[in-house]
Amino acid sequence: MICQECHERPATFHFTKVVNGEKAEVHICEHCAKENSNMMVFGSDGGFSINSLLSGLLNFETKLGKSDASSMYRAEEVRQCPRCKMTFREFGKAGRFGCPDCYRTFKSEITPILRKVHSGNTAHGGKIPKRIGGSIHLQKKMEELKKQMQHHISQEEFEKAAELRDEIKAIVREMNADRGEEA
Amino acid sequence: MSLQDFMNNAMSAWMSQEGPDSDIVLSSRVRLARNIEQFRFPTLASEEEFQNILTLFEEQFSNQTFPDIGSFVLLKMSELEPVQKRVLVEKHLISPSLAEDSAFSGCLLSVNEEVSIMVNEEDHIRIQCLFPGLQVKEALEVAGRLDDWIEKEVDYAFDENRGYLTSCPTNVGTGMRASVMMHLPALALTKQMNRIVPAINQLGLVVRGIYGEGSEALGNLFQISNQITLGKSEEDIAEDLLSVVQQLIAQERSAREAVLQASKIQLEDRIYRSYGILSNSRIIESKETARCLSDVRLGIDLGLIQNVSKNILNELMILTQPGFLQQYSGTGLTPDERDIRRAALIRERLKMEIDGG
């Protein structure tokens, strides 16, 4: 495939640009990619990095002026990670977060970005660390049981709801016991 | 120091082993990105935080032995000479950025060099396993065990919904990047890569040529890796990558067969010309080296060249990089001097092969 810009060198960078829901394929060579820094954002060393691309994506978003983009813009003015003091604007520049808490602080802003970067996925589907895994599994089970209990209550199936309530209580006891052991 | 001695020091143990499908797949790598909950990410971490992390690795993991891997040593970047760091980069044991920001960074390296754990890179911890041939699952298995080993001593930054929290959101979730380095000369020769690359991109995988100064893939080497880290399990990511790589292997093999049938004499001519350049030139640039090595390796794989071992491509790709050439010469070299040294090293290496065989 030949570069769209210079029509000479083979294209070595391939992107799909989505603007207002319309997809456009971009194929350019390294040389033109560097020249065209307004089209794609490159690192200060001239080399391509995913962080700079990501920060380009964020800046691009804020320029769009769409409703969700403008609310993101307002949110970034005020919101700051309580732990590391990074603002969303700073994240936009660096393309990297400052601390683990940033993921919680900027949850609403980061979710659409994760969706774009990870083919629509926003929830982890992989390994869970062994040490903290136990309580997470219990927590997940409890949330599921609570949902089922609400369903039974809405259907006025109170006996079934009561059974689930007892199960939930047992899990809470188990979780408390685990915490006691750790302390 | 003789070339043989130098090579013994320069080559990682894994490079001289032959892995599965090694006629096409040079190496498989799995990297896991991890961070420690109590510290800020490297973007904002203080000197004290960096130092604490490095000290933790020095005290808990340095000089430890791990089952099936052996012992580990911690290399502090601040204590290495620039050329030593460059050599580590050229062996793919550390990233260029770890070598650049070296005040508090380090690398926990296994003695056989199959495993390197980068400390204070873009993330606090990057576990990397590099295996010869197509061994993605094997690399993942080892990376997973090392992950458990480290997790015993540190609290990872982990979120139930987002998974392992990484400095860059492109790595969040599994924090896993699996990649396979492939030699695809016949697909490149028959201009099929241009058709294949977009198709692979659509499957959530990325193809990168190993680019030189120009724009063609250097030495017909292509790296295929996963782009998505969120939403899929580590095993599924590895499985998806493997299925694409296996298809590429099959396509490359049939393309080799087709080229051999359609134009054997032209192919032989090209391969032997490249062999001639490598064994006779007095000045050679890295780009030409990569092109000729690719041809010679294809010649070996097709049985056209029989007195040269297959590892020569892997070896010479590594040995003829600027850092290694300078280390071998024991002195700094200008680019022109490097081209002369490179030609001499390749001639010497090929002669060794013939004398030995």
Side-chain angles (χ1 to χ4, degrees):
Chain A
M1 195 173 294
I2 298 293
C3 171
Q4 289 175 351
E5 287 290 303
C6 62
H7 302 286
E8 280 176 9
R9 291 170 283 263
T12 54
F13 286 108
H14 310 277
F15 300 108
T16 304
K17 212 164 58 172
V18 181
V19 184
N20 296 330
E22 287 205 20
K23 263 191 185 176
E25 302 272 339
V26 181
H27 308 282
I28 57 169
C29 70
E30 195 169 12
H31 184 80
C32 292
K34 275 180 190 161
E35 299 269 294
N36 248 306
S37 53
N38 59 337
M39 188 160 131
M40 260 147 284
V41 184
F42 285 80
S44 54
D45 57 355
F48 168 78
S49 84
I50 193 75
N51 304 95
S52 47
L53 182 70
L54 188 74
S55 88
L57 186 73
L58 293 167
N59 290 331
F60 184 62
E61 286 286 321
T62 54
K63 276 182 209 146
L64 265 182
K66 282 167 70 181
S67 59
D68 61 330
S70 59
S71 70
M72 189 163 85
Y73 195 78
R74 274 200 304 279
E76 86 184 28
E77 297 289 300
V78 288
R79 203 171 306 169
Q80 191 175 40
C81 178
R83 177 169 163 196
C84 70
K85 310 294 177 214
M86 186 178 258
T87 63
F88 195 69
R89 185 188 287 269
E90 283 165 347
F91 166 69
K93 273 189 198 146
R96 291 175 196 171
F97 278 135
C99 74
D101 287 10
C102 288
Y103 278 94
R104 288 180 273 278
T105 311
F106 304 115
K107 190 180 175 201
S108 55
E109 291 90 343
I110 190 74
T111 304
I113 294 164
L114 291 177
R115 204 170 278 138
K116 270 183 203 152
V117 176
H118 298 284
S119 291
N121 297 314
T122 58
H124 180 51
K127 186 174 177 178
I128 295 172
K130 287 199 171 67
R131 201 135 47 104
I132 56 171
S135 64
I136 289 177
H137 291 305
L138 288 175
Q139 191 81 33
K140 277 204 165 158
K141 193 174 170 191
M142 193 166 74
E143 278 164 21
E144 184 54 34
L145 290 173
K146 275 185 182 168
K147 225 186 271 173
Q148 286 177 20
M149 187 173 75
Q150 285 306 323
H151 175 75
H152 288 310
I153 292 171
S154 68
Q155 300 293 310
E156 300 191 354
E157 297 163 344
F158 298 113
E159 266 181 41
K160 282 181 184 165
E163 274 173 31
L164 290 174
R165 182 201 58 204
D166 293 342
E167 260 187 69
I168 292 167
K169 274 186 183 168
I171 290 174
V172 172
R173 271 199 299 277
E174 200 179 327
M175 285 169 80
N176 286 341
D178 282 352
R179 277 195 200 108
E181 268 173 33
E182 276 169 26
Chain B
M1 184 166 49
S2 76
L3 180 59
Q4 184 69 62
D5 289 341
F6 179 66
M7 274 167 43
N8 291 344
N9 289 325
M11 309 313 293
S12 302
W14 68 267
M15 284 181 206
S16 47
Q17 294 164 16
E18 221 169 85
D21 299 304
S22 63
D23 56 330
I24 292 168
V25 180
L26 275 73
S27 61
S28 304
R29 173 161 46 167
V30 165
R31 178 268 273 163
L32 299 176
R34 299 288 186 256
N35 287 282
I36 305 173
E37 173 63 37
Q38 71 190 97
F39 301 116
R40 284 174 293 177
F41 291 150
T43 332
L44 289 184
S46 64
E47 289 192 357
E48 195 191 346
E49 284 173 302
F50 279 130
Q51 191 57 60
N52 282 340
I53 295 167
L54 200 57
T55 307
L56 184 143
F57 270 85
E58 192 169 19
E59 288 174 357
Q60 302 284 358
F61 301 104
S62 189
N63 302 317
Q64 298 289 311
T65 306
F66 190 80
D68 303 334
I69 305 274
S71 56
F72 279 91
V73 283
L74 182 74
L75 303 173
K76 289 185 188 176
M77 290 302 123
S78 60
E79 293 172 0
L80 298 182
E81 298 292 327
V83 69
Q84 292 177 307
K85 284 187 274 191
R86 178 140 201 189
V87 162
L88 289 172
V89 172
E90 289 175 2
K91 286 171 99 170
H92 302 287
L93 293 171
I94 65 170
S95 64
S97 71
L98 191 87
E100 276 164 32
D101 308 322
S102 51
F104 299 100
S105 62
C107 171
L108 195 66
L109 189 62
S110 71
V111 170
N112 65 4
E113 299 186 355
E114 243 171 26
V115 175
S116 63
I117 300 172
M118 286 180 261
V119 182
N120 293 333
E121 212 248 18
E122 182 183 303
D123 293 293
H124 296 147
I125 304 165
R126 288 195 157 191
I127 303 166
Q128 179 185 285
C129 297
L130 197 52
F131 280 49
L134 185 57
Q135 300 195 69
V136 177
K137 284 186 173 168
E138 291 78 358
L140 175 61
E141 192 271 329
V142 172
R145 282 197 284 130
L146 287 160
D147 183 39
D148 297 341
W149 181 49
I150 294 169
E151 195 213 322
K152 281 185 189 153
E153 308 296 336
V154 302
D155 283 318
Y156 279 150
F158 182 85
D159 179 89
E160 192 185 335
N161 291 314
R162 302 287 195 228
Y164 292 93
L165 303 177
T166 49
S167 151
C168 180
T170 53
N171 295 316
V172 76
T174 57
M176 168 178 161
R177 199 73 65 196
S179 62
V180 172
M181 179 90 80
M182 305 184 80
H183 183 227
L184 304 172
L187 289 178
L189 191 69
T190 52
K191 310 243 180 274
Q192 291 185 71
M193 283 313 288
N194 299 340
R195 179 178 59 79
I196 291 168
V197 171
I200 293 177
N201 289 346
Q202 294 206 319
L203 297 167
L205 300 172
V206 191
V207 185
R208 283 193 193 90
I210 309 302
Y211 295 100
E213 287 157 37
S215 42
E216 63 195 282
L218 200 56
N220 295 318
L221 293 174
F222 295 87
Q223 190 191 49
I224 326 284
S225 58
N226 66 302
Q227 189 169 32
I228 297 159
T229 56
L230 197 59
K232 284 197 223 173
S233 71
E234 290 79 357
E235 290 73 22
D236 287 346
I237 292 171
E239 202 64 59
D240 291 353
L241 177 65
L242 273 174
S243 73
V244 167
V245 167
Q246 271 150 357
Q247 285 181 48
L248 277 172
I249 291 173
Q251 291 190 37
E252 169 67 21
R253 283 194 183 131
S254 65
R256 286 180 185 187
E257 203 57 45
V259 174
L260 205 52
Q261 280 196 352
S263 38
K264 185 175 183 203
I265 188 72
Q266 287 85 348
L267 189 66
E268 270 185 323
D269 181 65
R270 178 180 158 149
I271 287 166
Y272 278 105
R273 274 172 191 275
S274 290
Y275 184 68
I277 291 172
L278 290 176
S279 40
N280 291 298
S281 71
R282 265 39 185 182
I283 300 170
I284 192 164
E285 286 182 21
S286 53
K287 203 174 154 186
E288 189 176 19
T289 306
R291 186 177 60 73
C292 293
L293 283 173
S294 171
D295 287 344
V296 168
R297 164 134 181 167
L298 179 64
I300 297 167
D301 289 337
L302 293 176
L304 299 171
I305 295 178
Q306 286 173 344
N307 55 354
V308 184
S309 69
K310 195 185 288 184
N311 283 326
I312 200 144
L313 176 86
N314 303 25
E315 271 178 25
L316 286 177
M317 282 301 279
I318 301 252
L319 289 172
T320 57
Q321 292 174 98
F324 270 103
L325 285 175
Q326 298 192 27
Q327 208 192 37
Y328 182 49
S329 306
T331 168
L333 297 170
T334 65
D336 287 347
E337 287 170 338
R338 282 207 294 264
D339 293 345
I340 295 168
R341 292 299 304 207
R342 183 179 294 116
L345 189 144
I346 294 169
R347 285 200 317 271
E348 204 181 330
R349 178 67 188 89
L350 286 173
K351 190 169 176 298
M352 207 167 91
E353 197 76 18
I354 291 161
D355 292 348

